[in-house]
Amino acid sequence: MTHTMKLNPTPFAQIKSGAKTIELRLYDEKRRQIAVGDTIRFTSTADPSQTITARVEALYPFPSFGELYRSLPLLRCGYTAETVGRASPADMERYYSKAEERRCGVVGIELSLL
């Protein structure tokens, strides 16, 4: 199955370059449909004509971003050597509310580019 998702310019570029191999999302109804072996077509929010396709290699569901941040390698989740020291689960609050996080849980989606 192929899924579609939008990405802001920075994470889009990181996935495209191979620097980011784990995408963090709310584990909502849409993401619960994703299975290992599926593909995801990412579209850049800055330029919808830019797309990349990746294969889902693994899914890492957690009840909260706090637990995800303690368990997954943040350098593979979009942080860099310069920013990882300041990484905080609160960083995800710009995308998802705490209520959404509590209701749905969260997931790390491990990817390989196609």
Side-chain angles (χ1 to χ4, degrees):
M1 180 174 217
T2 299
H3 308 270
T4 59
M5 293 185 203
K6 295 178 182 176
L7 279 173
N8 289 328
T10 299
F12 184 89
Q14 290 174 318
I15 289 175
K16 187 175 182 177
S17 74
K20 179 177 181 178
T21 59
I22 301 175
E23 172 63 7
L24 309 182
R25 295 286 173 134
L26 202 64
Y27 205 30
D28 57 12
E29 190 173 313
K30 180 179 177 180
R31 263 46 82 164
R32 289 178 187 271
Q33 303 304 310
I34 298 171
V36 172
D38 287 355
T39 57
I40 301 174
R41 193 175 92 222
F42 292 101
T43 302
S44 171
T45 58
D47 179 358
S49 71
Q50 288 190 29
T51 64
I52 48 177
T53 303
R55 181 179 189 276
V56 176
E57 299 295 339
L59 297 166
Y60 305 104
F62 293 92
S64 70
F65 283 114
E67 291 184 51
L68 182 151
Y69 272 52
R70 286 189 293 277
S71 301
L72 295 182
L74 296 179
L75 289 173
R76 294 181 51 209
C77 297
Y79 290 96
T80 66
E82 294 78 30
T83 63
V84 73
R86 299 184 306 274
S88 167
D91 295 342
M92 296 306 291
E93 291 176 21
R94 74 180 109 179
Y95 307 107
Y96 307 115
S97 71
K98 293 299 281 179
E100 289 174 309
E101 181 181 343
R102 284 190 297 276
R103 186 175 73 249
C104 299
V106 303
V107 65
I109 304 168
E110 186 170 352
L111 306 164
S112 63
L113 287 177
L114 295 178

